[in-house]
Amino acid sequence: VAIKLLAVSLDSNDSDMIQRFFAEAQITASLKHPNTIRVFDFGQTEGGALYIAMELLNGKPLADHLDDRAEHDQVLTEEEAIQIGVQTLRSLAEAHMANLVHRDLKPHNIFLHEVVGDDTVVKVLDFGIAKKLGSNMTGTGKAFGTPSYMSPEQAQNRPLDHRSDLYSLGCVLYQCLAGVPPFEGDNPLAV
């Protein structure tokens, strides 16, 4: 297993951070699709550290794979991009059927898991800022996500649904084939 830790003081007043951590654990633990990272256990230690025990993966994030290709002035082939897209969509389909929106789909959160003697398996990671439709867990007035991959409505902190994740995946696939994100800028607001 891999252990994700978040150190917090037992007398910490950051209940929002603790709530988000447990929400990520509960959300991810409820998802069982083979293209989604598996969570086995989560909780808080006596010392106050929050932990999630999850599937240990072998390979690298798509972001690193794209960087490796860029060093050789290469991009992914259409077939490679399609394989990544299809497997990512399978993970998202389960989340969307559970009324969850990932809200931070990007190459860093798509992992290329190497399986000995078999094809690479795409794993969607980090449902840490996922939102259950109809909830307001993350508060108002806050835009969560990574600007280069955020849908316009997400960047404007407007109501979201599963289509926002599809927009983000479109941005990822564009980067797979073009070598750069579709939109870039000097700062998040410019993007």
Side-chain angles (χ1 to χ4, degrees):
V1 299
I3 307 292
K4 181 177 183 177
L5 286 172
L6 180 61
V8 294
S9 169
L10 281 176
D11 58 347
S12 172
N13 286 335
D14 198 351
S15 61
D16 188 44
M17 176 184 62
I18 293 170
Q19 182 182 7
R20 279 197 309 271
F21 183 88
F22 278 107
E24 174 188 357
Q26 289 173 331
I27 287 168
T28 309
S30 72
L31 300 174
K32 305 296 185 202
H33 194 277
N35 293 117
T36 303
I37 185 108
R38 293 290 312 273
V39 168
F40 302 116
D41 192 19
F42 59 92
Q44 188 167 19
T45 68
E46 292 177 12
L50 301 167
Y51 69 88
I52 299 176
M54 61 183 75
E55 175 182 15
L56 179 63
L57 300 177
N58 180 39
K60 60 182 151 185
L62 176 59
D64 293 351
H65 188 64
L66 293 175
D67 288 345
D68 292 346
R69 291 283 180 95
E71 285 180 17
H72 298 96
D73 292 324
Q74 296 177 341
V75 295
L76 299 186
T77 66
E78 290 176 15
E79 184 178 322
E80 290 170 316
I82 289 168
Q83 288 299 318
I84 289 167
V86 166
Q87 291 184 61
T88 302
L89 285 168
R90 289 177 179 155
S91 172
L92 290 176
E94 179 190 30
H96 294 164
M97 287 176 44
N99 288 321
L100 297 174
V101 180
H102 189 287
R103 298 195 312 163
D104 197 23
L105 195 63
K106 58 186 177 183
H108 290 87
N109 289 336
I110 297 173
F111 196 91
L112 306 178
H113 177 52
E114 301 295 330
V115 179
V116 178
D118 207 343
D119 294 333
T120 299
V121 176
V122 171
K123 295 280 189 172
V124 176
L125 312 177
D126 198 5
F127 279 82
I129 63 171
K131 182 172 183 165
K132 186 141 182 103
L133 293 178
S135 78
N136 194 23
M137 182 191 71
T138 55
T140 58
K142 299 177 185 176
F144 290 90
T146 304
S148 292
Y149 307 96
M150 290 169 73
S151 64
E153 62 274 13
Q154 184 176 0
Q156 295 171 20
N157 200 28
R158 295 179 127 168
L160 302 179
D161 61 28
H162 65 278
R163 294 173 292 183
S164 183
D165 286 341
L166 300 180
Y167 176 94
S168 298
L169 179 58
C171 292
V172 169
L173 294 175
Y174 179 95
Q175 183 174 352
C176 287
L177 297 171
V180 295
F183 306 105
E184 296 182 289
D186 294 334
N187 58 61
L189 188 57
V191 174

